[in-house]
Amino acid sequence: MISITSTDFLRKTAGTIVFISIIGFVSWNHAENHKVKTTNTPSDFQWEYATPESRGMSSKKLDSMRNVLAEKGTKKLLIIKNDKIVYEWFSPGWEDSVKKHSTASLAKAVVSGMSLLAALDDGYIHPDEPACNFIPSWKKDEIKSKITIRQLATHTSGIEDAEASEKEKAEMERKKLDRHFGIPGWKGQFWRKEPDPFSLARDSAQVIFTPGTKYVYSNPGIAMLTYAVTSSLKGSKYEDIRTYLKERIYEPIGIEEKDYTIGYGKTYELDGLKLVPGWGGGNFTAKAIAKIGLLMLHKGNWQGGQIIDSLNVKKVTSYAGTAMPATSCEEKIPNSDTRTKNNPQPATTAGWYSNFDGVWGSVPRDAFVGGGAGNQHLMVIPSLNMVIVRMGNNLYDESKGEGFWLGAEKYLFNPIMDAIEEPPYPESGLSAELPKK
């Protein structure tokens, strides 16, 4: 017979209580900090509308902004506040029901960026592991073997871009050649896709600085990100990112195939992989883009179903200490990649741009943005519960010295912020009377 004294009983009971309390705290704390992914992914979704005034915004100011945007070639404009469309405008013939619009490099957020997020969420890939884990030919390269997935996603890998030098641009303008297809050498081949852009990005693009030390925009870098993500899908049921995005992200949030195309409509086979371009080549409706924005705004949750773990959404939209844009001219860094008064170049995250350091002074610092040539933009501002989509022609005027990001800030971001006339929180029902003197 085993005898247990009252002291032993209390000691063991207390230990059990402490253990249960710790487990309970950890579980509770874990649940409080993020929502675990569920299998419930409803896609039945209907847009709802509200007046700007009902959401604390000025119709008059938004109309004034729209007039300027229309003059600057805007084709599609959506502003969503508190999950309702408060402003919607399409240039005649550009209604979503009629025509999709090119994303240009906005695809780096909604195509390559979202495929990276899904692969991260599914455990196929980690942002800080070497890219050579998925790109075998880089393993024996002294420099490329050090490039990480995050560096590819944030344009800090050192891989040069497929853009013309200033001298080449002048010669191409003289000969009236296309700004991409007319570039000599491998860079022109990248855009012409001869023989395919992925082998050129893998083998021909040089590393022009130590990976992780500088920011230089790189289309071939994003090509290799897409290569790595596709390689990470080996052994899964997904053969390429087109299928992966459709089944994992787009269909669950109600984006139908008629609402988009990606990858220039092409698939390239290389190294046993089916590779779909993710740096450009997309065409989307504004509302399809907006749905991606809403999913990100709600931290991966869609109508009660957790499609992406909220912690992973935070990982790809938060600044993680990567190299910032240069603030003065440096060798091998294009002027368009430099942060200046005329081009407030933001920091990068894994697929997005971040206002974490307030480079756009009137915009909340939690805002993150996707952007492409012609000022195609998707902006998400969690603190304002707001999603903004703009598609069309360039907003900036080079003749006035305006850069790409100044055009976005001056004609889109700032006017929308100025149109907010009430605080982004509900009015209090409390009142107080000051004592009479």
Side-chain angles (χ1 to χ4, degrees):
M1 180 177 179
I2 300 174
S3 175
I4 299 177
T5 66
S6 59
T7 301
D8 288 335
F9 175 79
L10 288 172
R11 185 184 298 114
K12 291 183 178 182
T13 303
T16 302
I17 292 172
V18 169
F19 176 76
I20 292 173
S21 298
I22 291 172
I23 294 299
F25 172 77
V26 170
S27 299
W28 176 84
N29 198 43
H30 180 74
E32 281 294 303
N33 279 287
H34 76 113
K35 298 175 182 177
V36 180
K37 183 171 57 180
T38 68
T39 56
N40 177 30
T41 56
S43 60
D44 184 21
F45 176 81
Q46 297 293 326
W47 287 104
E48 295 182 359
Y49 291 77
T51 64
E53 280 71 22
S54 71
R55 295 299 180 266
M57 301 184 75
S58 165
S59 293
K60 184 177 180 180
K61 288 184 178 181
L62 291 175
D63 286 341
S64 178
M65 174 192 71
R66 178 208 61 200
N67 292 338
V68 174
L69 291 177
E71 290 176 359
K72 289 184 168 292
T74 297
K75 308 303 182 188
K76 298 173 183 281
L77 177 65
L78 280 179
I79 302 173
I80 297 151
K81 186 88 162 64
N82 299 340
D83 296 339
K84 298 188 184 219
I85 296 175
V86 297
Y87 206 85
E88 178 181 50
W89 182 81
F90 299 97
S91 178
W94 284 95
E95 295 83 0
D96 273 355
S97 60
V98 175
K99 190 183 295 186
K100 297 182 283 288
H101 197 285
S102 168
T103 61
S105 287
L106 177 55
K108 292 179 174 68
V110 300
V111 179
S112 62
M114 293 304 292
S115 65
L116 172 62
L117 172 57
L120 169 64
D121 195 59
D122 290 335
Y124 296 140
I125 203 166
H126 189 280
D128 295 313
E129 67 179 309
C132 68
N133 287 353
F134 306 97
I135 309 171
S137 63
W138 281 9
K139 286 186 176 181
K140 294 182 179 181
D141 188 295
E142 184 178 354
I143 299 177
K144 290 181 178 178
S145 62
K146 298 175 182 178
I147 295 172
T148 68
I149 296 298
R150 189 186 301 278
Q151 288 166 357
L152 290 174
T154 57
H155 303 280
T156 59
S157 68
I159 295 178
E160 67 178 322
D161 198 9
E163 296 290 348
S165 65
E166 292 303 315
K167 183 179 179 180
E168 289 170 335
K169 285 179 183 177
E171 182 65 14
M172 287 162 58
E173 287 177 7
R174 187 181 68 81
K175 294 181 178 180
K176 298 182 179 180
L177 298 176
D178 183 87
R179 72 185 186 93
H180 279 152
F181 296 160
I183 305 174
W186 74 266
K187 294 180 180 181
Q189 289 179 290
F190 177 87
W191 295 110
R192 295 192 302 270
K193 306 170 185 65
E194 299 172 353
D196 73 87
F198 290 96
S199 61
L200 291 162
R202 182 193 62 191
D203 303 332
S204 298
Q206 300 299 304
V207 179
I208 58 176
F209 57 79
T210 302
T213 61
K214 296 180 182 181
Y215 164 83
V216 171
Y217 192 85
S218 177
N219 286 286
I222 298 300
M224 295 317 296
L225 173 67
T226 302
Y227 182 113
V229 170
T230 306
S231 180
S232 80
L233 300 178
K234 284 182 178 178
S236 74
K237 66 177 182 177
Y238 309 107
E239 64 178 10
D240 57 35
I241 66 167
R242 182 180 284 111
T243 305
Y244 192 37
L245 286 168
K246 175 187 173 183
E247 297 184 14
R248 189 66 175 78
I249 303 291
Y250 295 168
E251 280 189 347
I253 63 176
I255 298 178
E256 301 179 35
E257 287 188 88
K258 67 180 178 62
D259 297 327
Y260 72 97
T261 61
I262 66 172
Y264 303 95
K266 296 184 178 181
T267 302
Y268 299 89
E269 294 198 20
L270 179 68
D271 301 334
L273 302 175
K274 292 187 176 182
L275 300 167
V276 177
W279 59 89
N283 290 276
F284 280 72
T285 64
K287 286 180 179 176
I289 295 289
K291 285 180 178 179
I292 296 171
L294 280 179
L295 177 67
M296 300 301 282
L297 174 68
H298 294 300
K299 302 177 182 179
N301 190 283
W302 188 261
Q303 294 184 274
Q306 200 69 32
I307 293 172
I308 299 288
D309 191 305
S310 60
L311 284 181
N312 289 325
V313 173
K314 184 176 181 180
K315 284 178 183 178
V316 302
T317 58
S318 299
Y319 175 67
T322 52
M324 294 284 289
T327 55
S328 59
C329 293
E330 293 185 24
E331 186 179 359
K332 295 185 179 180
I333 297 182
N335 291 337
S336 59
D337 289 342
T338 303
R339 179 182 287 191
T340 64
K341 181 179 179 180
N342 288 336
N343 189 48
Q345 177 78 40
T348 49
T349 70
W352 302 83
Y353 295 96
S354 171
N355 192 44
F356 89 99
D357 62 341
V359 65
W360 308 314
S362 298
V363 179
R365 294 194 177 203
D366 63 341
F368 54 94
V369 188
N375 286 112
Q376 320 309 322
H377 289 296
L378 166 61
M379 173 178 267
V380 180
I381 312 176
S383 59
L384 297 180
N385 201 16
M386 181 179 285
V387 172
I388 301 161
V389 178
R390 185 272 175 184
M391 309 181 90
N393 301 337
N394 288 340
L395 291 176
Y396 61 101
D397 187 340
E398 286 186 297
S399 68
K400 296 180 180 179
E402 296 174 347
F404 176 87
W405 288 108
L406 181 60
E409 181 186 30
K410 183 176 179 180
Y411 301 108
L412 183 66
F413 303 163
N414 286 353
I416 291 177
M417 295 302 102
D418 185 55
I420 299 173
E421 298 189 326
E422 294 181 6
Y425 42 78
E427 290 186 6
S428 171
L430 301 176
S431 61
E433 292 185 9
L434 294 175
K436 296 180 180 179
K437 292 184 179 180

